[in-house]
Amino acid sequence: MGIPTAPEDIDEAYVRRATALMGIELTAAQVPGVIENFRRTAQVAAFVNAFDLDPATDETGPVWRP
Amino acid sequence: MAFETALEIASQVKAGTLKATSVVAEVFAGIKARNPKLNAFVELTEARAKAEAAQVDAEVAAGRDPGPLAGVPFAVKNLFDVKGLTTLAGSKINRELPPAAKDSPLITRLNAAGAVLVGTLNMDEYAYGFTTENTHYGPTRNPYNPEHIAGGSSGGSAAAVAAGLVPLTLGSDTNGSIRVPASLCGIFGLKPTYGRLPRNGTFPFVASFDHVGPFCRSTADLAASYDAMQGHDPADPVCRDQLSVPVSPALELGTNRVRIARAGGYFESNAERAVADIVLSVCDLMGVTRTVEIPEAGRARAAAFVITASEGSQLHIENLKKRADDFEPLIRDRLLANTMLPAAWYLQAQRFRRWYHAEVMKLFESVDAILAPATPRPATRIGQDMMRVNGVEMLSRPNMGLLTQPISFIGLPVVVVPVGTFEGLPVGMQIICAPWREDICLRVASVLEKMGVAKFNPPKEMQ
């Protein structure tokens, strides 16, 4: 299986293996919609990921108060 | 009585000129006559409503004050816990859950104010939608044109108010689920500040973004219902212990010294020209000349999408493993896909959220209220997959929240007011304020209403 490096590379083999890690076994009917939705989310996430933030200094939104 | 406001009803009930039991009888007759066409209500609580109404009448007869919402019939989106009913959250799967042991706190507070619960309302399954096209329970239809959506995910809540079935409903808003249906159904909606109203006793969707709030046909009703519901609840860890100050008296303050601006940029280019022009003409009438650009609003919407995808899917993962095909077909594959999201994507989105919040707060140093369209266009047809906004073809369902998501992303309070129509269907405008300033949102809304600019117009279909 090739490793997807871009949203358009996400394929059936990838989604089957990734969901299996979550304990989910996809049916044949579910696969096309899962691929389409994951590609869309990956494209959206790429836009967010392109924004330059420094994990060392930029805190995430939620702050835990013990 | 169908289109009387909540406060008009309460005033008559408290004066003894109208019995709460009569109000309830008329409400149920109206629901039975018109709900089959609208599909706003899913369940009715007739016995409970009659008992509550009788109690209100007894209080009035005994010379006691039943509360500011005496005898006001209200209904709730069916993700609110109602004692004795199963909290469906628009789903088939939840039918198997036991009935709720107690009411959600907001229902208890509205009851304490004298309001009478009449039933529960349709929604997108698990709140993951902007259209209330629900395969299990049927679509909720727009009272202005039944071939069109009512918006979502609180579609039943908005349609019931717009159609004159009840004057007050509750909904929830994660990415736009109060604001979108309020806009598409031509009514008033309030999404308070994140953490203002307690969410315990509701079925969750995205803990980072879930809000709850009311729909009404007037600003005064929004303020009155919001006042009745304010207050900390420690059972909701997100609910802040913020000072509860009634906003109803503040409506008379007007907008003197309130600095108002119009949102340009993203909020202009992602609305159909005619919709943006409606907001522009509202600004002209108010003498609002300043435009502000909310920075990186498009990226904020994208980050909200990623956080929603991650948290929303994780909530349902056990059922996705065992019975994925029992989910709504419109969301099943989206939920399955989003179980795979890398943690790095989610963390980057949350990190961006903090950056974006800081940038938007800078705007509120020099402006108190920002005006923006609530939806890119009016309601699409039920079953419509694509829509055109400014000549650009796009998926209709996820993009109805284009203009609401960047705002709920950082939990700002918003009132939506009806400001006009396009293609014969209503459109609404967002009044966006700094955190905890619901009072300013409502003051601006009240002024617009007094000017005749923000106005509920009963749908011809329902008259």
Side-chain angles (χ1 to χ4, degrees):
Chain A
M1 179 191 84
I3 306 209
T5 55
E8 53 271 24
D9 296 335
I10 292 161
D11 60 9
E12 178 170 353
Y14 179 85
V15 300
R16 281 195 179 281
R17 286 178 187 233
T19 51
L21 268 179
M22 304 304 301
I24 295 169
E25 187 177 343
L26 295 178
T27 65
Q30 293 161 354
V31 165
V34 171
I35 292 172
E36 183 190 335
N37 277 280
F38 193 61
R39 281 183 184 165
R40 188 173 304 129
T41 305
Q43 284 162 352
V44 172
F47 184 38
V48 182
N49 296 338
F51 195 78
D52 191 20
L53 290 165
D54 183 353
T57 55
D58 294 307
E59 289 279 351
T60 59
V63 173
W64 177 255
R65 300 191 196 284
Chain B
M1 197 204 74
F3 293 103
E4 280 186 322
T5 66
L7 290 178
E8 284 168 347
I9 293 170
S11 168
Q12 293 172 78
V13 169
K14 290 206 283 186
T17 56
L18 180 62
K19 291 256 188 276
T21 45
S22 302
V23 172
V24 157
E26 196 173 327
V27 162
F28 282 116
I31 292 170
K32 284 166 188 171
R34 288 179 284 160
N35 191 61
K37 187 174 176 183
L38 267 183
N39 198 33
F41 277 86
V42 174
E43 286 181 272
L44 299 180
T45 51
E46 264 188 277
R48 171 178 175 154
K50 285 173 182 168
E52 287 177 1
Q55 176 63 29
V56 168
D57 287 336
E59 296 278 304
V60 171
R64 292 191 289 270
D65 182 357
L69 298 174
V72 171
F74 77 103
V76 299
K77 185 175 185 179
N78 71 19
L79 51 66
F80 282 84
D81 284 348
V82 174
K83 184 178 176 182
L85 295 187
T86 301
T87 306
L88 296 172
S91 72
K92 176 177 151 184
I93 292 169
N94 277 24
R95 288 178 196 159
E96 297 165 21
L97 295 178
K102 59 181 183 175
D103 289 337
S104 88
L106 295 190
I107 292 176
T108 303
R109 292 174 184 183
L110 288 176
N111 276 158
V116 172
L117 181 70
V118 302
T120 65
L121 299 155
N122 201 17
M123 57 182 281
D124 283 294
E125 182 177 82
Y126 295 128
Y128 208 172
F130 289 121
T131 65
T132 312
E133 292 166 295
N134 188 308
T135 304
H136 313 302
Y137 301 100
T140 293
R141 297 180 178 277
N142 194 302
Y144 293 85
N145 185 331
E147 302 305 311
H148 289 245
I149 62 172
S153 59
S154 312
S157 304
V161 167
L165 300 185
V166 284
L168 167 63
T169 57
L170 296 186
S172 69
D173 187 314
T174 299
N175 287 292
S177 294
I178 287 175
R179 293 164 288 155
V180 166
S183 176
L184 301 189
C185 288
I187 60 171
F188 295 76
L190 167 63
K191 183 203 75 62
T193 309
Y194 179 75
R196 172 70 87 174
L197 294 183
R199 309 167 320 175
N200 47 309
T202 65
F203 196 89
F205 174 25
V206 180
S208 287
F209 299 147
D210 287 346
H211 309 64
V212 286
F215 292 88
C216 298
R217 294 190 290 267
S218 74
T219 310
D221 278 3
L222 271 191
S225 55
Y226 169 66
D227 282 341
M229 292 189 287
Q230 281 198 64
H232 181 238
D233 190 329
D236 176 2
V238 158
C239 187
R240 290 270 294 273
D241 194 2
Q242 200 73 12
L243 182 66
S244 299
V245 178
V247 297
S248 296
L251 297 185
E252 296 307 310
L253 294 176
T255 51
N256 189 28
R257 289 203 279 239
V258 174
R259 300 163 298 174
I260 306 173
R262 184 177 63 90
Y266 174 92
F267 290 90
E268 206 166 8
S269 57
N270 285 288
E272 190 65 19
R273 184 73 252 159
V275 173
D277 283 346
I278 289 172
V279 172
L280 201 52
S281 65
V282 172
C283 291
D284 287 344
L285 286 166
M286 293 191 81
V288 171
T289 53
R290 188 176 163 204
T291 304
V292 293
E293 183 129 357
I294 297 178
E296 295 286 350
R299 209 175 310 257
R301 189 258 170 158
F305 186 106
V306 170
I307 293 170
T308 298
S310 181
E311 290 188 20
S313 284
Q314 295 309 310
L315 180 65
H316 297 290
I317 195 149
E318 289 309 309
N319 282 326
L320 287 168
K321 287 178 195 174
K322 292 184 281 208
R323 53 191 305 191
D325 286 345
D326 284 340
F327 283 84
E328 161 71 61
L330 286 171
I331 69 167
R332 180 198 67 193
D333 295 343
R334 195 185 326 162
L335 287 171
L336 285 167
N338 293 331
T339 59
M340 299 183 273
L341 293 201
W345 295 0
Y346 175 84
L347 290 170
Q348 169 74 358
Q350 287 283 18
R351 198 169 284 120
F352 175 79
R353 192 175 174 208
R354 185 163 286 283
W355 177 90
Y356 177 72
H357 175 265
E359 292 302 307
V360 175
M361 288 303 105
K362 290 176 189 169
L363 291 177
F364 284 111
E365 290 170 7
S366 64
V367 69
D368 300 306
I370 300 173
L371 309 181
T375 45
R377 53 156 297 114
T380 46
R381 298 182 73 83
I382 293 168
Q384 183 174 335
D385 293 328
M386 304 296 287
M387 67 180 180
R388 190 173 284 273
V389 177
N390 285 333
V392 176
E393 193 88 345
M394 59 181 73
L395 291 171
S396 59
R397 294 182 182 95
N399 289 307
M400 266 304 175
L402 265 178
L403 305 177
T404 52
Q405 281 183 282
I407 309 302
S408 39
F409 181 51
I410 52 171
L412 302 180
V414 184
V415 164
V416 165
V417 294
V419 287
T421 60
F422 175 52
E423 296 174 348
L425 289 160
V427 287
M429 183 180 77
Q430 299 184 87
I431 304 166
I432 303 157
C433 293
W436 316 111
R437 298 315 306 263
E438 289 84 349
D439 60 318
I440 298 178
C441 292
L442 288 160
R443 282 167 59 189
V444 174
S446 183
V447 164
L448 286 168
E449 207 176 355
K450 290 186 175 97
M451 288 170 68
V453 172
K455 190 172 185 290
F456 167 71
N457 290 302
K460 290 192 181 58
E461 292 260 339
M462 295 290 134
Q463 289 181 45

